[in-house]
Amino acid sequence: MSAAETRTARPAISPPDTAPLVEIEGLGRVFDLSKRWLNRVLDGSGKVMLTAVDGVSLSIERGGTYALVGESGSGKSTIAKMVVGLLPPTSGSVHIAGADIWAERGLARQRQLHRRIQMIFQDPYASLNPRWRVGSILAEPIKAFGLAADAAAREARVGELLSLVGLDPRDSAKFPHEFSGGQRQRIAIARALASEPEFIVCDEPTSALDVSVQAQVLNLLRDLQQRLGLTYLFISHNLAVVRHMATRVGVLYLGRLVEEAPARELFAAPKHPYTKMLLDAVPDIGMEGVERPSIAGEIPNPINPPSGCHFHPRCPHVMPQCRTVVPPSYAVGDAKVLCHLYDGTDHAGTARSAP
Amino acid sequence: MTATLSVRNLRVEIPTRHGVLTAIDDLSFDIAPGEVLGVVGESGAGKSITGSAIIGLLDPPGRIAGGEILLGGERIDNLAPPAMRRVRGKRIGMIFQDPLTSLNPLYRVGDQLTQTILTHEKMTARAALDKAERLLVEVGIPAAGARLSSYPHQFSGGMRQRVVIALALAADPELVVADEPTTALDVSVQAQVISLLKRLCKDRGASVMLITHDMGVIAETADRVCVLYAGRLAEIGKVRDVVKHPQHPYTHGLMTAIPSLKGDPDARLEQIPGSMPRLGAIPEGCAFNPRCGFRFERCRAERPAAYPTSRSEASCFLLDAAGAAPPPETAAAARAAGIEVRAGAPTGADA
Ligand SMILES: Nc1ncnc2c1ncn2[C@@H]1O[C@H](COP(=O)(O)OP(=O)(O)OP(=O)(O)O)[C@@H](O)[C@H]1O
Ligand SMILES: Nc1ncnc2c1ncn2[C@@H]1O[C@H](COP(=O)(O)OP(=O)(O)OP(=O)(O)O)[C@@H](O)[C@H]1O
Ligand SMILES: [Mg+2]
Ligand SMILES: [Mg+2]
């Protein structure tokens, strides 16, 4: 593993090591769902806009794992795509190691940035080309970024990557369909590692896997992080998995980051009423026989979200201002919370008494 | 008391071009009246096939090749298709993962409910419509009366699944077979739907067979759980026992592999090496033996039966009081994992 270790030792580019690797500022994305303008004129329908991500700011420490959680449609994957450079934001910025990935000029600089950021998707089969042998799948980024001197060095690196994710170097001659789901996800991880990235975005990396295989993949991601000093943005709707992986957690609700805190704190003392509701809702093996408070309502329509705080129609602590005023971000200890309960005045008899 | 459902030595085969695959092999379990039995296992373990065999809807060429299925003491596995159709819907309600497979997108929700009610019960159309509305109210659909004339696509995913529950309960069945009823739903809605299903079945005294790969759902909902591995029974017992004191090495591995909201978040997850075999390649002897940390000689040669322990029943030779002893280190390791090793112990007692 000496090769891998020397790679870790690569000096960081511009800012000193203590600065966060990833800085996301006011990130937003609006999708235009309207029909073509001509049809709109003909049937008199207006413009339909969907705000998938709304003013999200967060930063990720080097070697840390930032987890994004939230219900389906809350904007997790949209953020991931903007962070890796697959989808342009409508507002805000993403800096990685000091470079603004959406403002970077020059193809060479952009390619260098993209090499350092990789992504792992939920469905390991859909993301691997079924007609390529595993060896070619892994060699492609090595070739594209000129990371090996010659074919022999490339082949050696492919073998090394396969061993790194717990597969046999001889597996490089096989096709993706010859592997089980968990093994395919290992291949997808090996491919992400092939370009020697510092930062990997994992979008639901184990959601398609069985629990016994999920444990293999989660352990592997943690081992690789320690060995290679990787930084992760980890997306999952499974809170138990997030608790096991994350150093910091952000909770999304209809595109807004409603709470952000160190993982331990978030799970021990959730602050936002939505976070509390989510934690109460998850079925968990540690909780057999627990009677749960029933949860009110479902995630509302993102095209026409509730005014003020998006969560107010489901919130047990709703106050008049929640219906009209978008809550700002309040710092509560190490956490940031978008909730009027934390505006500093005393809302007697409300959730403040809980934690 | 007669079990609501009794599955005896069920064997399901799937003839293919490469020979006959055994998808379910010698599976037996009972569901008592009013009981919720969880059925868990990895993808491909045979959960859905078991459910389909019970409701008489095995996809051809799959077929029941052995054993019996009894509903309220009467055999239903050998009924002619029209008789089985009457059992299904009337005596057994069904809920599938995708609500759209149970709901016809072209019919109003109210019409689908009243049709189901009228097929199985003699009453006037007016009375059936009233019952349909009561059912929608019971499953928590707001403005139920007005919603009777809505089409399925006008509901959110969670609401659709509640309509499906209403449909499954429309004829007051004795048994509800629910196959991954919440897998397609959001985490926050999952808990709602599961607790609703549980409450309604309890109120009616209906038994439930709840198929899922989510151990968390089982832990919170089921009375007993049946763990399948490669089409065979690995372990069956009370949920608390199986979760807290698993006796089969596979169940033990599974429980320690699941991250939980309790416990040390930094502890490494236990992992079971390898993956479940495909149907065509199930190993000789115990199907789990190549992945098992406590394997000994007998496991490669013979197939274990289900042996009772002080808590659950599990198909593992370590538990066979009449069987040969494993090597002492294996026995010690298994005991350290909480398994009541009985093999080779003349008293059968566990210290
Ligand atoms: N290309 C697109 N065009 C229009 N709307 C989109 C597009 N991509 C995403 N959306 C919408 O943006 C919102 C956020 O979607 P996103 O995929 O980020 O959610 P998610 O949190 O990843 O959900 P899931 O858990 O289901 O993966 C959703 O309402 C979705 O319908
Ligand atoms: N028509 C078929 N031909 C061959 N094999 C089949 C056929 N139908 C099902 N199988 C196999 O039978 C086994 C059991 O399938 P089943 O659908 O019951 O699994 P399951 O436990 O419900 O899994 P999941 O969690 O993925 O739903 C699987 O290995 C599957 O590949
Ligand atoms: Mg997504
Ligand atoms: Mg299934």
Side-chain angles (χ1 to χ4, degrees), chain A residues 335-350:
Chain A
K336 286 184 209 148
V337 195
L338 254 65
C339 175
H340 290 304
L341 288 173
Y342 298 91
D343 64 4
T345 57
D346 185 27
H347 303 286
T350 51

Side-chain angles (χ1 to χ4, degrees), chain A residues 33-345:
Chain A
L33 303 180
S34 6
K35 297 174 184 161
R36 296 225 319 267
W37 72 267
L38 182 62
N39 301 18
R40 280 213 310 275
V41 173
L42 291 180
D43 45 69
S45 54
K47 259 191 171 305
V48 182
M49 305 301 258
L50 185 154
T51 304
V53 177
D54 189 1
V56 167
S57 301
L58 58 92
S59 53
I60 311 176
E61 301 301 320
R62 276 171 206 278
T65 299
Y66 191 106
L68 279 178
V69 300
E71 287 164 282
S72 180
S74 55
K76 306 182 293 294
S77 298
T78 307
I79 293 179
K81 287 180 202 151
M82 294 191 283
V83 170
V84 296
L86 288 175
L87 180 81
T90 19
S91 57
S93 64
V94 178
H95 284 83
I96 295 188
D100 183 334
I101 68 156
W102 286 104
E104 206 50 62
R105 300 270 165 248
L107 209 60
R109 289 274 300 167
Q110 271 186 7
R111 280 178 54 82
Q112 265 315 300
L113 262 174
H114 287 167
R115 182 189 65 70
R116 297 164 61 188
I117 314 167
Q118 286 296 318
M119 185 152 174
I120 299 166
F121 298 89
Q122 169 169 358
D123 183 349
Y125 199 62
S127 64
L128 298 173
N129 188 332
R131 279 186 287 277
W132 283 20
R133 289 182 198 279
V134 168
S136 315
I137 291 174
L138 299 186
E140 201 265 344
I142 303 177
K143 226 187 291 182
F145 294 111
L147 295 173
D150 52 30
R154 205 158 55 223
E155 202 174 308
R157 176 72 180 141
V158 166
E160 195 182 300
L161 286 165
L162 284 169
S163 322
L164 200 57
V165 297
L167 294 173
D168 191 314
R170 282 169 302 186
D171 286 335
S172 73
K174 294 187 188 160
F175 289 98
H177 73 257
E178 295 176 63
F179 293 89
S180 72
Q183 289 173 324
R184 280 181 213 146
Q185 199 56 295
R186 286 168 191 267
I187 296 168
I189 293 169
R191 184 189 48 188
L193 294 173
S195 65
E196 301 171 25
E198 291 150 70
F199 176 47
I200 302 185
V201 174
C202 311
D203 191 356
E204 307 268 7
T206 59
S207 302
L209 304 177
D210 278 313
V211 279
S212 80
V213 181
Q214 165 175 284
Q216 296 171 3
V217 171
L218 294 178
N219 283 340
L220 173 66
L221 285 171
R222 269 174 50 160
D223 291 348
L224 290 171
Q225 177 166 52
Q226 282 191 348
R227 260 150 83 175
L228 309 176
L230 297 167
T231 305
Y232 293 140
L233 176 62
F234 189 92
I235 293 175
S236 176
H237 63 266
N238 184 329
L239 288 169
V241 167
V242 163
R243 181 170 175 270
H244 184 72
M245 296 296 287
T247 46
R248 205 171 168 87
V249 182
V251 182
L252 280 171
Y253 189 72
L254 280 181
R256 292 184 190 153
L257 203 56
V258 297
E259 177 162 357
E260 228 233 331
R264 274 180 189 275
E265 190 174 329
L266 187 115
F267 285 98
K271 308 230 160 30
H272 198 285
Y274 174 64
T275 314
K276 290 182 190 171
M277 191 201 86
L278 260 192
L279 283 175
D280 279 342
V282 201
D284 187 67
I285 56 160
M287 313 236 184
E288 100 280 4
V290 185
E291 276 304 319
R292 292 184 173 283
S294 131
I295 306 145
E298 291 173 35
I299 198 160
N301 179 359
I303 295 171
N304 188 13
S307 59
C309 170
H310 287 339
F311 187 60
H312 83 253
R314 300 169 79 182
C315 184
H317 311 293
V318 61
M319 305 177 288
Q321 63 268 42
C322 305
R323 301 197 170 88
T324 50
V325 186
V326 179
S329 176
Y330 295 107
V332 185
D334 284 334
K336 286 184 209 148
V337 195
L338 254 65
C339 175
H340 290 304
L341 288 173
Y342 298 91
D343 64 4
T345 57

